[in-house]
Amino acid sequence: MSAPTERELARCCGDAFGLRDTKNAHKPIPSDEAVSIRNLGACNFESPLTKENITFFEDERVVFCTSSAFAAQGPSTPISEVKTHHRLFEHAGPRQNVFYDPKNTKVGIVTCGGLCPGINNVIRGLVLCFYHRYGVHNIVGLKNGYQGLIKETSQQIMLTPSFVKDIHKVGGSVLGSSRGAQNVSAQVDFLQDHKFDILICIGGDGTLSGALEISEEVQRRGLKIAVIGVPKTIDNDIVYTDRTFGFETAVEMAQAAINAAHCEARSVENGIGLVKLMGRDSGFIALYASLASGDVNLLLIPENKFCMEKLMNYLLPRLKASGHCVVVASEGAGQDIFPPIGADASGNKQFVDIGVQLKKEIGTRLKQMGISHEIKLIDPSYTIRSSTANASDSVFCLALAHAAVHSAMAGKTGMMVSHLNGHFIHLPLQLIRGQRKYVSTASLPYQAFLDNSGMPSKL
């Protein structure tokens, strides 16, 4: 049996992966070597958790994908005998023996990139697990992203249970954040000079790429510093993850904006309610928020290009039949029509405001046709980004934080924790470099939106 491609995996696993990257669509899934996690050395210290009634994982592997190939082997087949063809990742969770002596371990925590609901939940979960479960009391917050690892700009905060007690009740990050790359050699100098043993990096693809570079420099120097990533992206676009924290909160909070747009639109003749949501390269928030609402008539995401002529050809009959229309657009939609205007400190393209541009373009065309109308534009992006996590995300943040602590104490490095196919796993940072998760327009969720709205698949 040959190894399936990512396209086949997406088909058999539903929308859990959502991979639709044409650059990687036919790339075989990773080899055993590609998914292996580097260890700093032998784990010679008994874990403090052995005194508890707890389940330990000794680098056990979990199934990457469940498909008909597994079903054919029978449900009673032992996992060790399943012909998986490189479908196994290392299971996250506590180990019976750890690499670090807890009482002599120093931990650094850094948060980078844009704000996202749940960052403070992750910080709190990390501190409390290190402190209460492992007895690690030397935990330092490095302020303002990777600037905190540069000698000249570093600001440090001692993180204790009393400090983090209530931080999950407010949005943002108590450690601050920043964008832009820093000198890797200088960062590792800082870690070495200040005798850090563990660095936890909370952030998106840019942050995780930075964490990989730090771990590689640490390895070149032969240092025993564990570098662990916790994936943070409200857009839910990191590969090999079922979800990332903040996404479900964003979908939930977007409902108020969509409801308001719907109310405004149907209250006037030819009313158009236009909602702009987050999603630079991937339209997961816009898609799932639209599915949850049920009132969205027109969905624009980066994965499905459109032209204004076809958009108007759909919009006009909709206005004639119903008298109003609700439009939801991801921030990265239509950027081929409206070119980017530059780049930010991290090298990300600075997009034109798709909400403003759509309002202008649609309004101009309707005016030229002599059609009276009103367009109300609502952009809740910063309100959502700076909010606290909902209940589901709060629980998820805690689980990710604990998985990161367990992996760090076991001397794992150059990896991030992830939730994939129903399991928390260890994922090599090298594996996700240069990749992104996209909405598949052939997926059941996207097709469900088309079924619900009547929108044509091509605009």
Side-chain angles (χ1 to χ4, degrees):
M1 182 175 65
S2 61
T5 65
E6 289 183 353
R7 175 172 290 175
E8 292 168 333
L9 287 173
R11 192 161 55 236
C12 69
C13 292
D15 198 57
F17 301 94
L19 294 170
R20 197 205 64 81
D21 187 341
T22 55
K23 298 190 296 294
N24 296 310
H26 298 287
K27 181 180 177 182
I29 61 174
S31 64
D32 284 341
E33 183 179 0
V35 301
S36 64
I37 302 298
R38 191 164 68 84
N39 297 281
L40 292 174
C43 294
N44 295 323
F45 297 95
E46 185 180 60
S47 170
L49 276 64
T50 56
K51 301 172 185 177
E52 308 290 340
N53 182 21
I54 193 169
T55 300
F56 290 101
F57 302 90
E58 300 308 323
D59 292 351
E60 297 170 7
R61 299 292 177 124
V62 296
V63 175
F64 175 73
C65 169
T66 304
S67 70
S68 57
F70 286 103
Q73 296 178 67
S76 61
T77 305
I79 190 67
S80 59
E81 297 178 17
V82 172
K83 301 199 174 359
T84 57
H85 290 272
H86 313 307
R87 291 188 232 208
L88 300 181
F89 283 100
E90 194 173 278
H91 205 302
R95 268 53 178 174
Q96 195 159 0
N97 292 293
V98 295
F99 178 77
Y100 292 106
D101 179 2
K103 64 180 179 293
N104 295 318
T105 299
K106 184 176 182 180
V107 177
I109 301 174
V110 63
T111 62
C112 307
L115 297 183
C116 174
I119 297 176
N120 285 336
N121 299 68
V122 173
I123 296 170
R124 184 176 186 268
L126 290 168
V127 172
L128 296 181
C129 190
F130 271 123
Y131 199 99
H132 291 312
R133 300 293 272 169
Y134 284 97
V136 175
H137 294 173
N138 195 359
I139 310 168
V140 180
L142 302 165
K143 293 204 68 176
N144 301 324
Y146 283 137
Q147 293 179 12
L149 275 69
I150 300 298
K151 179 181 178 181
E152 292 75 17
T153 56
S154 181
Q155 299 178 53
Q156 303 179 40
I157 304 174
M158 288 303 300
L159 299 177
T160 62
S162 61
F163 181 89
V164 303
K165 180 177 66 173
D166 294 320
I167 64 172
H168 61 304
K169 298 177 183 178
V170 295
S173 169
V174 293
L175 299 181
S177 185
S178 67
R179 295 186 184 274
Q182 303 294 331
N183 183 281
V184 175
S185 181
Q187 289 176 297
V188 177
D189 286 343
F190 178 88
L191 293 172
Q192 189 172 7
D193 292 344
H194 288 79
K195 296 180 170 42
F196 281 96
D197 300 294
I198 295 170
L199 177 66
I200 307 290
C201 305
I202 305 169
D205 53 352
T207 304
L208 298 174
S209 293
L212 175 61
E213 292 175 0
I214 292 172
S215 71
E216 290 173 340
E217 179 63 19
V218 164
Q219 184 179 15
R220 279 191 289 269
R221 299 189 189 188
L223 304 175
K224 300 300 183 181
I225 302 174
V227 181
I228 306 295
V230 178
K232 171 202 67 68
T233 166
I234 201 169
D235 292 352
N236 194 38
D237 61 356
I238 294 179
V239 292
Y240 304 112
T241 60
D242 287 340
R243 59 181 276 208
T244 49
F245 73 84
F247 170 70
E248 291 198 358
T249 301
V251 170
E252 181 179 310
M253 290 195 65
Q255 298 310 300
I258 296 174
N259 290 340
H262 188 210
C263 181
E264 289 284 353
R266 65 184 179 181
S267 297
V268 296
E269 183 182 12
N270 295 324
I272 299 173
L274 174 57
V275 180
K276 173 192 165 189
L277 295 175
M278 293 146 303
R280 288 183 54 83
D281 299 288
S282 303
F284 288 102
I285 294 176
L287 171 59
Y288 281 87
S290 298
L291 284 171
S293 166
D295 291 325
V296 178
N297 311 114
L298 182 58
L299 172 64
L300 304 175
I301 60 175
E303 293 88 345
N304 199 15
K305 297 186 186 304
F306 67 92
C307 70
M308 288 303 303
E309 288 72 21
K310 289 184 178 180
L311 185 151
M312 295 302 296
N313 288 340
Y314 171 69
L315 179 64
L316 291 172
R318 164 71 199 183
L319 289 177
K320 184 176 182 180
S322 301
H324 73 280
C325 184
V326 178
V327 183
V328 168
S330 296
E331 63 180 304
Q335 297 302 320
D336 56 319
I337 301 175
F338 312 109
I341 55 177
D344 63 19
S346 297
N348 298 315
K349 294 177 181 178
Q350 287 187 309
F351 292 161
V352 297
D353 191 317
I354 185 63
V356 172
Q357 290 294 328
L358 280 174
K359 181 179 180 181
K360 178 182 177 182
E361 287 288 328
I362 294 173
T364 298
R365 290 168 185 258
L366 290 176
K367 185 177 181 180
Q368 290 173 346
M369 296 176 189
I371 300 175
S372 62
H373 64 279
E374 286 192 31
I375 304 176
K376 296 293 191 293
L377 171 61
I378 300 174
D379 182 355
S381 299
Y382 289 104
T383 302
I384 294 174
R385 279 171 27 123
S386 59
S387 72
T388 57
N390 68 7
S392 177
D393 270 330
S394 295
V395 174
F396 188 57
C397 287
L398 195 65
L400 281 173
H402 290 185
V405 171
H406 297 317
S407 63
M409 289 303 296
K412 309 290 182 182
T413 190
M415 55 146 282
M416 75 173 202
V417 290
S418 173
H419 189 263
L420 182 66
N421 202 24
H423 297 276
F424 286 95
I425 63 166
H426 296 160
L427 189 66
L429 291 172
Q430 181 66 49
L431 192 61
I432 68 168
R433 174 182 270 178
Q435 298 192 69
R436 192 179 299 278
K437 184 171 69 174
Y438 297 92
V439 171
S440 169
T441 55
S443 67
L444 290 177
Y446 190 81
Q447 293 299 313
F449 173 78
L450 298 182
D451 295 341
N452 187 63
S453 66
M455 186 185 89
S457 59
K458 299 293 184 182
L459 284 174

